[in-house]
Amino acid sequence: QLPSKASHGDIETQAYECEGKVYVITSNSATYDATSRINLPAACKKGVAKVLFEDREVAYKGWTLEDNWNKLSRHVYVIEPVR
C-alpha cells in the first residue's frame, strides 16, 4: 500500500503498486457530488492517469490529481510513474 489522501472528507483513497504501475482506488461515500484533490505517491510527480472502466484520462502534476465524483461513485486510476 502507498500513501494517498483526498482533500474532501467523503472521498476515500487507497493506492497500490503492482508490476510497475500505481493504482489509486477512490470512492465518494457522500450522497452528493464532490470535487477533490488526491495527493499521490512520490513516484507520481506529473503525467496522465488512465481512469479504468471509463473512457477518459486525467492529467496530474505536483503529485496532485483533481477530479469530480458523482454521489456514491468510484474512480480507479492507473498511473505509469516516470522513473
Side-chain angles (χ1 to χ4, degrees):
Q1 188 170 346
L2 300 170
S4 66
K5 185 173 179 169
S7 63
H8 190 287
D10 290 317
I11 305 294
E12 302 293 328
T13 70
Q14 294 284 320
Y16 302 92
E17 185 172 3
C18 182
E19 297 181 0
K21 296 180 183 177
V22 174
Y23 294 82
V24 182
I25 303 165
T26 66
S27 65
N28 179 8
S29 61
T31 56
Y32 53 86
D33 297 348
T35 299
S36 184
R37 289 179 304 283
I38 305 294
N39 293 333
L40 299 171
C44 307
K45 183 176 181 182
K46 178 181 174 185
V48 176
K50 180 179 178 180
V51 186
L52 288 183
F53 318 113
E54 300 178 42
D55 187 26
R56 66 190 187 98
E57 297 179 328
V58 177
Y60 63 91
K61 63 180 179 178
W63 301 279
T64 303
L65 177 151
E66 185 170 341
D67 206 353
N68 301 304
W69 285 256
N70 292 330
K71 64 182 180 179
L72 303 172
S73 68
R74 57 91 186 108
H75 296 311
V76 179
Y77 304 96
V78 180
I79 298 169
E80 294 192 42
V82 177
R83 302 203 187 266

